[in-house]
Amino acid sequence: MSMQTSPNILMVRPANFGFNEETADTNFYQQKDQREKGEIRELAKQEFDRFVEQLRDQGVNVEVLEDTEQPIKTDAVFPNNWFSTHPDGKLILYPMFSPNRRLERRKDLVEMLIQKGYQISEILDLSFFEEDDQFLEGTGSMVLDHDSKTIFACYSERTHPVPLNYVADILGYDLIGFNSVQEIDGVKSPIYHTNVMMHVGKDLAVVCLDSIPKASEKQGVQKALTKAGKKVIPITAKQKFNFAGNMLEVTNEGGEKFTVMSQTAFDSLNVGQIQMIEKYTTIISPSIPTIEKLGGGSARCMMAEIFLPKA
């Protein structure tokens, strides 16, 4: 049985979704919107509810945690950045770049998971790294291949080497660290999260190799994926800007595999890429334009896998 995909997903239903000024400097995918805050919040809830429904229709178990009204957390819909869970019962809390996103870490998440029958043996709180301005934003910063025990991570203002090495040691995983850049208006800058430019499923890897400028690092990523038995599907920089790297593979209780990506991402892929993904999995593509545009994150960011053992 592959450890790479989980039939249990946690999603946070947003109460006050909106544009986050604190994160906009490092996330070029965020775009302002002139609509009323109330309208934006309502649209985000509708997109979220339809997304959950699409997953549940395919038999994927989705645990929904309601966002709290206070304090206001515009990015609460992206829980994968602040925690991860692991098959040995570990729950890791991560150091976050933006002070207002640190408010997303919630103790009642643990209570909810225990009530639902998940077993948590240890909570590792790495938020102390924030005191030294060292950040690592969960499975946004790290793309994990659990089967080959490998962490892929591109360095940025939100992904620092010290906490990254710390997590690799805790998990006993090999680390493939590299630099990945994007060009905006002729200026090159680091890609803020690894899961924007790559996705790793059980048999497939989708990756924007063009964004890795250093040949040796590009080869290192390719080699590690190939060695792990993944079929590598390259995507272009333009496809990456359409969130085509932001995918997640999930399963249902029957063991069927699904690749979840937004409608925007799906529409950017070519026929060959779609056929390759569909050879191994069924595609689920929710339409989440409001969340993508203002939040600068896509389908993968909205899903936190639950790998914890069940009682």
Side-chain angles (χ1 to χ4, degrees):
M1 167 110 179
S2 169
M3 278 174 37
Q4 184 58 8
T5 54
S6 174
N8 301 304
I9 300 297
L10 180 125
M11 295 176 69
V12 176
R13 189 171 189 266
N16 293 295
F17 176 77
F19 185 86
N20 187 347
E21 297 282 356
E22 280 190 14
T23 56
D25 283 351
T26 56
N27 181 349
F28 297 102
Y29 297 78
Q30 285 177 239
Q31 297 168 49
K32 280 194 169 168
D33 194 302
Q34 298 310 311
R35 288 173 295 184
E36 291 287 324
K37 277 185 181 176
E39 184 188 348
I40 286 164
R41 286 171 185 175
E42 206 45 50
L43 283 168
K45 285 176 187 172
Q46 288 170 16
E47 290 175 7
F48 177 91
D49 291 342
R50 283 197 301 267
F51 186 174
V52 171
E53 200 178 319
Q54 281 177 270
L55 290 169
R56 286 176 173 166
D57 282 349
Q58 297 289 356
V60 178
N61 178 43
V62 184
E63 311 285 7
V64 174
L65 183 65
E66 289 283 343
D67 181 20
T68 52
E69 285 289 342
Q70 293 294 330
I72 287 176
K73 303 173 290 297
T74 54
D75 287 324
V77 75
F78 304 130
N80 79 309
N81 297 144
W82 64 266
F83 84 99
S84 67
T85 62
H86 303 270
D88 60 359
K90 277 191 187 74
L91 187 147
I92 304 177
L93 300 171
Y94 291 95
M96 305 283 285
F97 168 79
S98 165
N100 67 20
R101 290 211 63 193
R102 295 168 196 172
L103 303 169
E104 293 171 34
R105 290 190 294 253
R106 291 170 58 178
K107 288 189 174 73
D108 59 345
L109 165 79
V110 176
E111 289 153 24
M112 173 194 158
L113 290 172
I114 291 167
Q115 277 173 357
K116 299 265 187 181
Y118 297 99
Q119 295 179 303
I120 297 171
S121 59
E122 188 180 7
I123 297 172
L124 295 160
D125 186 350
L126 308 186
S127 59
F128 64 86
F129 277 111
E130 289 164 359
E131 294 163 27
D132 297 317
D133 290 333
Q134 293 281 307
F135 311 116
L136 184 69
E137 297 194 331
T139 53
S141 290
M142 302 179 293
V143 171
L144 303 169
D145 181 19
H146 298 291
D147 288 340
S148 70
K149 292 189 162 31
T150 308
I151 296 171
F152 295 91
C154 61
Y155 301 113
S156 72
E157 286 160 295
R158 305 203 198 178
T159 306
H160 288 119
V162 174
L164 192 51
N165 282 293
Y166 191 89
V167 170
D169 286 345
I170 287 169
L171 296 178
Y173 281 27
D174 292 327
L175 174 61
I176 309 280
F178 57 96
N179 292 287
S180 179
V181 301
Q182 59 198 1
E183 197 169 309
I184 317 269
D185 300 329
V187 179
K188 287 185 177 172
S189 61
I191 290 177
Y192 79 107
H193 274 163
T194 313
N195 76 1
V196 168
M197 54 75 65
M198 79 181 292
H199 150 67
V200 177
K202 182 184 179 294
D203 304 299
L204 285 175
V206 175
V207 57
C208 182
L209 292 165
D210 291 350
S211 71
I212 307 173
K214 205 171 175 183
S216 59
E217 291 184 343
K218 188 184 294 192
Q219 284 166 352
V221 170
Q222 256 182 312
K223 192 176 168 187
L225 291 169
T226 307
K227 190 182 168 191
K230 312 294 177 190
K231 171 70 185 171
V232 179
I233 302 173
I235 55 169
T236 64
K238 189 178 178 189
Q239 289 174 322
K240 172 188 61 63
F241 275 114
N242 285 292
F243 298 105
N246 199 246
M247 303 178 181
L248 182 67
E249 192 176 298
V250 301
T251 55
N252 62 15
E253 283 169 0
E256 287 178 89
K257 296 197 296 292
F258 302 91
T259 299
V260 188
M261 67 186 82
S262 71
Q263 190 64 48
T264 307
F266 180 83
D267 290 343
S268 77
L269 297 176
N270 64 42
V271 176
Q273 290 167 325
I274 291 166
Q275 283 174 341
M276 186 56 70
I277 295 167
E278 288 182 332
K279 187 178 167 186
Y280 297 95
T281 66
T282 301
I283 292 173
I284 300 174
S285 51
S287 178
I288 47 172
T290 311
I291 291 171
E292 282 181 324
K293 182 182 174 184
L294 279 99
S298 190
R300 193 278 170 263
C301 307
M302 294 171 68
M303 297 177 286
E305 304 115 298
I306 308 172
F307 286 109
L308 299 166
K310 260 197 149 172

